[in-house]
């Protein structure tokens, strides 16, 4: 076992952009990993497991522990004359595994020759190329459970393999570490998977079925003709996935635009696949550069580091590609690369209470104010971190809020409670889940209410186009979204228990009146606290007012605090701001708060 601090990771990623981690640890076997998992460094830090770094883009230094597997070894077990199982350690190079199989007369993996990365990543990413995917051949995956510190084996059907997807990118992310992968392959040296057109042409040119070695060599030649040489130019291979769209959405929204987009069958029934490279190419983006980052001319799915790119430049170029393709074709490309970004960006979508400000028909000085900071939509925030966009509460003003900031993608929604001003915009999430089920996390009472409020979303055969929701009932204990830990904080909204949420050094608490001492402990050592404050003086049975909010802030001592969920009786933003200490301000709609 090896542990290093303030580790430079630049040469441990294929992008070769500047990258660092607070702690770096490499383990040689399962015993090493078990011992490591009991150390304080492991217990106290966020964990990021990497392979050869071929699918990672570091935007900023990683505040936590980076793990790497040194588990090696390849073994084979012949089941019968046709079938052989090959088991490889997660730390083995993928190309070495493919070469081993070909050299030992074992067929199946040759279409995926030349893919960078390690064996563990083949299960996590469900890597694939030229008509084959690792998930087609994986029999089982041996894992280490971080929470229980025990090993377990997932069978293929438990891994939920999809297009560049698996359970390890979702509910098992940050929970299970891949130790070994078992592949079900066949004895033989003849290549049988020739469905990909260039491989068909290759076989025709030979006048016979190619051997696995010949096919692997041709695959590598094809890859080299399109992709930058990793020894010279940094990249992550394909940066974006080929879009897979709901067939109904494609027929109703994309095809009527009259564009000649090539369409292919998708791996999942009810979907179609489009060529991401075609979309980027026909959007005129080949060769476009931002700083040292470039769209690779011979394969536009690739973003290359031409020598001195930063993670931010690559991210900016990726964002430009996504925006341009979206504007031209109405299709949002999804990155295949993982953005390693522990910074947090919060956008205040709404800072008002249940009736918003101005209130309808009111002529008070706040409601008639011309100051934009006195225009308060119903309370909600957008949190961007770890490459994800997480919405906290879907207010009835969600459509207006999303349009105002140009929101085009959501990864998850956290609901604080079931009151209408916090869930009334659920139907407006339709654009964010036309091609997938959108995860929503809520306490049991809120989940129950939601199933009644928008029951049409949960029917066995829902009407086409309704929001596709993946509703998760959560208890008041930490849970993870794609490896990111979220801590619910139970607060009392009058007599109703509701949730606030802590994400890293940010906490969002709205509609609180009282908080128990044990829940207050979850709110200590914060960089930013966003806290409800209904008005200045007149007490309320279910909401904090200014003196109560300031007393709580003084007790919790966050570095910065932003007040939200204010009604018109709070007063004008300018007036309230004059009453606040230097570390506290009243949030306003559209405000952006960052935590590095």
């Amino acid at each position: 076992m090896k542990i290093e601090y303030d580790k430079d990771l630049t040469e441990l990623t294929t992008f070769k952009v500047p990258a660092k981690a607070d702690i770096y640890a490499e383990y040689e076997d399962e015993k090493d990993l078990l011992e490591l998992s009991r150390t304080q460094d492991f217990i106290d830090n966020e964990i990021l497991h990497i392979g050869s770094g071929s699918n990672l883009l570091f935007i900023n230094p990683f505040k936590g522990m980076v793990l790497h597997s040194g588990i090696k070894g390849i073994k084979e077990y012949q089941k019968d004359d046709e079938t052989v199982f090959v088991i490889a350690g997660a730390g083995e190079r993928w190309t070495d595994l493919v070469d081993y199989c070909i050299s030992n007369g074992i067929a199946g993996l040759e279409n995926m020759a030349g893919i960078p990365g390690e064996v563990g990543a083949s299960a996590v990413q469900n890597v694939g190329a030229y008509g084959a995917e690792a998930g087609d051949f994986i029999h089982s995956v041996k894992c280490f459970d971080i929470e229980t510190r025990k090993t377990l084996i997932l069978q293929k059907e438990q891994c939920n393999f999809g297009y560049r997807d698996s359970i390890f990118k979702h509910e098992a992310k940050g929970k299970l570490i891949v130790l070994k992968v078992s592949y079900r392959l066949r004895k033989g040296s003849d290549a049988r998977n020739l469905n990909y057109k260039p491989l068909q042409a290759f076989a025709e040119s030979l006048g016979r079925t190619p051997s696995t070695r010949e096919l692997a060599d041709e695959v590598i030649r094809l890859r080299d003709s399109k992709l930058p040489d990793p020894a010279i130019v940094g990249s992550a291979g394909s940066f974006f996935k080929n879009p897979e769209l709901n067939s109904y959405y494609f027929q109703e929204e994309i095809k009527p635009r009259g564009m000649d987009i090539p369409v292919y069958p998708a791996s999942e029934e009810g979907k179609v696949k489009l060529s991401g490279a075609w979309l980027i190419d026909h959007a005129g983006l080949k060769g476009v550069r931002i700083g040292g980052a470039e769209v690779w001319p011979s394969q536009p799915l690739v973003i290359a580091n031409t020598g001195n790119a930063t993670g931010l430049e690559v991210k900016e170029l990726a964002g430009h590609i996504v925006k341009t393709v979206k504007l031209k074709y109405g299709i949002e490309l999804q990155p295949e690369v993982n953005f390693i970004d522990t910074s947090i960006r919060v956008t205040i979508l709404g800072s008002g209470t249940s009736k918003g400000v101005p209130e309808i028909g009111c002529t008070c000085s706040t409601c008639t104010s011309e100051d934009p900071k006195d225009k308060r939509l119903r309370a909600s925030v957008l949190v961007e971190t770890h490459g994800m966009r997480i919405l906290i509460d879907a207010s009835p003003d969600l459509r207006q809020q999303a349009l105002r900031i140009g929101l085009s993608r959501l990864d998850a929604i956290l609901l604080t409670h079931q009151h209408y001003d916090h869930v009334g915009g659920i139907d407006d999430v339709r654009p964010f889940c036309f091609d997938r089920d959108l995860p929503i996390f809520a306490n049991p009472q809120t989940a129950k209410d939601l199933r009644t409020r928008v029951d049409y979303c949960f029917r066995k055969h829902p009407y086409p186009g309704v929001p596709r929701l993946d509703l998760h009932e959560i208890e008041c204990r930490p849970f993870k979204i794609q490896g990111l830990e979220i801590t619910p904080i139970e607060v009392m909204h009058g007599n109703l228990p509701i949730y606030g949420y802590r994400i890293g050094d940010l906490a969002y608490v709205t509609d609180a009146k009282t908080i128990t001492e044990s829940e207050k402990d979850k709110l200590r050592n914060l960089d930013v606290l966003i806290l409800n404050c209904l008005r200045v003086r007149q007490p309320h049975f279910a909401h904090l007012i200014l003196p109560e909010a300031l007393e709580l802030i003084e007790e919790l001592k966050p570095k910065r605090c932003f007040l939200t969920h204010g009604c018109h009786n709070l007063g004008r933003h300018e007036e309230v701001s004059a009453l606040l200490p230097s570390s506290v301000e009243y949030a306003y709609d559209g405000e952006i708060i960052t935590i590095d």
Side-chain angles (χ1 to χ4, degrees), residues 9 56 72 86 168 216 230 263 290 422 445 521 539 561:
L9 303 173
L56 304 177
K72 304 284 188 179
V86 176
F168 304 105
V263 184
I290 292 179
H422 296 264
Q445 182 57 47
D521 287 341
C561 186

Side-chain angles (χ1 to χ4, degrees), residues 449-502:
D449 180 88
L450 202 62
R451 289 190 179 95
T452 302
R453 189 183 297 275
V454 288
D455 66 297
Y456 52 88
C457 296
F458 301 100
R459 293 172 185 168
K460 186 175 182 180
H461 301 291
Y463 185 83
V466 303
R468 298 172 53 184
L469 309 179
D470 180 17
L471 185 57
H472 299 258
E473 292 189 19
I474 55 173
E475 303 297 334
C476 194
R477 56 176 179 266
F479 64 97
K480 291 182 178 180
I481 302 176
Q482 296 185 30
L484 175 65
E485 184 166 281
I486 313 287
T487 301
I489 301 115
E490 187 175 82
V491 302
M492 296 304 296
H493 180 34
N495 294 322
L496 178 68
I498 70 172
Y499 284 172
Y501 294 99
R502 177 167 183 160

Side-chain angles (χ1 to χ4, degrees), residues 41-43 45-49 62 64-67 146 174 177:
D41 280 338
F42 189 101
I43 294 168
N45 282 280
E46 181 177 346
I47 302 298
L48 171 66
H49 201 289
F62 182 73
M65 173 181 277
V66 170
L67 291 184
I146 289 176
I177 294 174

Side-chain angles (χ1 to χ4, degrees), residues 164-177:
R164 303 297 177 269
D165 203 12
S166 74
I167 191 174
F168 304 105
K169 297 181 76 172
H170 299 285
E171 56 264 47
K173 187 174 181 180
K175 182 177 185 294
L176 298 182
I177 294 174

Side-chain angles (χ1 to χ4, degrees), residues 56 128 146 212 214 239 291 423 429 482 517 529:
L56 304 177
I146 289 176
T212 54
E214 289 171 328
F239 196 95
V423 301
V429 305
Q482 296 185 30
E517 291 302 316
L529 170 63

Side-chain angles (χ1 to χ4, degrees), residues 191-236:
R192 296 182 184 177
N193 186 348
L194 302 172
N195 295 326
Y196 193 76
K197 285 186 177 180
L199 301 185
Q200 292 176 5
F202 174 64
E204 290 170 4
S205 70
L206 292 177
R208 57 177 172 79
T209 299
S211 69
T212 54
R213 175 64 68 188
E214 289 171 328
L215 188 77
D217 289 344
E218 177 63 11
V219 165
I220 291 171
R221 187 193 69 78
L222 289 169
R223 292 180 63 86
D224 289 347
S225 69
K226 295 180 180 180
L227 303 177
D229 184 344
I232 301 172
V233 179
S235 81

Side-chain angles (χ1 to χ4, degrees), residues 235-266:
S235 81
S238 295
F239 196 95
F240 297 101
K241 300 177 184 179
N242 288 312
E244 289 195 342
L245 305 181
N246 178 279
S247 298
Y248 175 82
Y249 179 83
F250 177 78
Q251 292 294 333
E252 293 292 319
E253 298 291 337
I254 304 301
K255 194 173 181 180
R257 301 184 184 202
M259 293 173 289
D260 188 25
I261 302 175
V263 184
Y264 307 95

